[in-house]
Amino acid sequence: MGSVKLQDRFGRAIDYVRLSVTDRCDLRCSYCMPKGFRGFEEPKDWLTFDEIERLLGIFVRLGTRRVRLTGGEPLLRRNLPELAQRLSALPGMQDLSLSTNATQLGKHAVALRAAGVDRINVSLDSLDRACMQQITGRDSLQPILDGLMAGKAAGFDPIKINMVAMRGINDGQIEAMAAFCIEQQFILRLIEAMPMGSTGRNASYMPLGPVRERLAARFGLVPQAMELGGGPARYMATPDGRASIGFITPMSQHFCATCNRVRLSVDGTLYLCLGQEEKFAFGPMLRGGATDAQIEAAIRAAIELKPQQHDFNTQPDKIIRFMAQTGG
């Protein structure tokens, strides 16, 4: 295989693949998936573990160093620890992580940790039971907290809490979440809602700049230069350096110039940007007898399609697909 690593036409090194293993979820978060949605991919079209291992093996040989298992809710995919073990064993893989809503984490945390998953991100938008029911469509808070503590007990480190900040919905609960995460030594990451599909456009967007100032004053936060996982968050830390809070601002202060990632959906479609339509379907190649060299060439060609930046601010109605279809 060639030794030239993946780089797009804007000079960005692409070393991070977010791998969706299912588009199904047991929650219906208001900003992610429409209530009553039934347009899921058929299981026969899902990439098999063998196909995923082959395709990700080529990505890793081309310089991918980070893979995140996502969904939908990835823990709904049967035998996920087996896939995690196979991916963590790929020569050159440095960081295998998982994004989850944690409702199923209690059952799988130990097996996933043993399989080589290093760290987890847990979606938790409120510590208020009624608010979580409003956001997720079910009484989900206690199962999530139970899963979160199971993950902590299993030794995942760090554990990041992803909280989508929404005006008039959970904006009054951010300080409580920050205090909880500082106490538990979780890393809180506050996220601006993106206008992906009708769900994202209805998500009561609020900019995080004023929130950052509020939290800095309340908890004495200071800017933190250290990278925590290679993602787009900008971090601040408590004065003792023991706790961090990150701010992910795709709308008010986008990070497109340093974007290092692509997303692979459950059917093998590679999405080059959350806010654009460029994509490449690898499913037909994997099932049509393509050689590894042909797939490598296709990956390089696909990376060339990666756009310079999203158009969420100027064309908020552009993206019809919603988050769960793309992969988190």
Side-chain angles (χ1 to χ4, degrees):
M1 292 261 167
S3 60
V4 179
K5 304 306 185 187
L6 290 178
Q7 191 175 66
D8 71 9
R9 57 203 160 106
F10 303 104
R12 297 172 295 196
I14 310 302
D15 62 1
Y16 182 9
V17 174
R18 298 178 65 101
L19 169 68
S20 175
V21 295
T22 179
D23 56 352
R24 287 159 167 75
C25 190
D26 54 341
L27 303 181
R28 288 294 180 273
C29 293
S30 54
Y31 50 81
C32 183
M33 189 183 297
K35 288 182 173 64
F37 178 77
R38 292 289 182 269
F40 299 107
E41 293 288 344
E42 293 294 329
K44 65 179 176 58
D45 295 324
W46 296 359
L47 294 189
T48 66
F49 284 4
D50 286 344
E51 289 166 340
I52 291 172
E53 183 180 11
R54 182 186 178 203
L55 182 56
L56 266 293
I58 298 172
F59 267 98
V60 170
R61 291 198 293 274
L62 290 174
T64 293
R65 293 294 171 258
R66 305 176 188 272
V67 171
R68 176 172 293 278
L69 303 170
T70 72
E73 171 45 51
L75 296 183
L76 297 183
R77 181 78 184 252
R78 288 181 185 172
N79 302 315
L80 189 65
E82 178 199 335
L83 177 64
Q85 193 281 323
R86 292 165 70 167
L87 296 180
S88 67
L90 291 172
M93 176 74 75
Q94 293 179 359
D95 180 48
L96 182 65
S97 56
L98 170 77
S99 288
T100 176
N101 63 29
T103 60
Q104 313 293 316
L105 188 58
K107 295 183 285 188
H108 303 292
V110 172
L112 287 164
R113 188 71 191 91
V117 177
D118 301 307
R119 52 197 183 83
I120 57 174
N121 289 11
V122 173
S123 296
L124 179 60
D125 294 318
S126 174
L127 294 171
D128 179 85
R129 181 179 176 183
C131 184
M132 279 297 286
Q133 183 153 3
Q134 175 191 355
I135 293 170
T136 67
R138 60 171 268 208
D139 188 6
S140 59
L141 179 61
Q142 197 57 52
I144 292 172
L145 291 177
D146 290 346
L148 186 55
M149 295 309 167
K152 187 176 182 179
F156 290 107
D157 184 37
I159 293 176
K160 297 179 181 177
I161 304 298
N162 288 347
M163 180 182 188
V164 177
M166 292 171 282
R167 189 184 305 280
I169 297 175
N170 66 352
D171 51 333
Q173 299 163 39
I174 293 173
E175 279 88 346
M177 183 68 78
F180 168 75
C181 290
I182 290 170
E183 176 192 351
Q184 294 290 334
Q185 293 192 295
F186 300 143
I187 297 173
L188 174 61
R189 304 196 318 164
L190 295 164
I191 303 172
E192 291 177 348
M194 291 175 284
M196 287 203 58
S198 58
T199 49
R201 286 189 284 277
N202 294 329
S204 305
Y205 162 76
M206 60 179 288
L208 287 179
V211 176
R212 184 190 292 112
E213 294 175 9
R214 209 166 74 211
L215 292 180
R218 167 78 181 273
F219 296 101
L221 302 178
V222 294
Q224 180 176 349
M226 185 177 68
E227 178 189 289
L228 296 172
R234 297 175 174 93
Y235 287 96
M236 301 187 79
T238 53
D240 61 8
R242 296 183 60 195
S244 298
I245 298 177
F247 302 85
I248 299 179
T249 55
M251 302 300 292
S252 65
Q253 191 179 7
H254 72 69
F255 34 83
C256 300
T258 57
C259 184
N260 63 341
R261 70 201 54 204
V262 291
R263 289 171 168 81
L264 190 66
S265 70
V266 67
D267 69 347
T269 300
L270 190 73
Y271 289 95
L272 285 306
C273 175
L274 277 179
Q276 301 285 7
E277 296 289 3
E278 285 83 357
K279 60 186 178 181
F280 191 98
F282 283 96
M285 292 192 74
L286 290 165
R287 297 183 179 183
T291 65
D292 282 9
Q294 289 171 324
I295 293 174
E296 176 183 335
I299 290 173
R300 292 189 185 282
I303 296 301
E304 286 294 304
L305 300 174
K306 188 171 174 63
Q308 187 168 18
Q309 63 185 53
H310 67 66
D311 290 330
F312 283 141
N313 291 308
T314 56
Q315 295 179 273
D317 298 329
K318 182 174 182 176
I319 301 300
I320 298 174
R321 68 178 190 275
F322 49 86
M323 184 66 86
Q325 290 175 303
T326 307

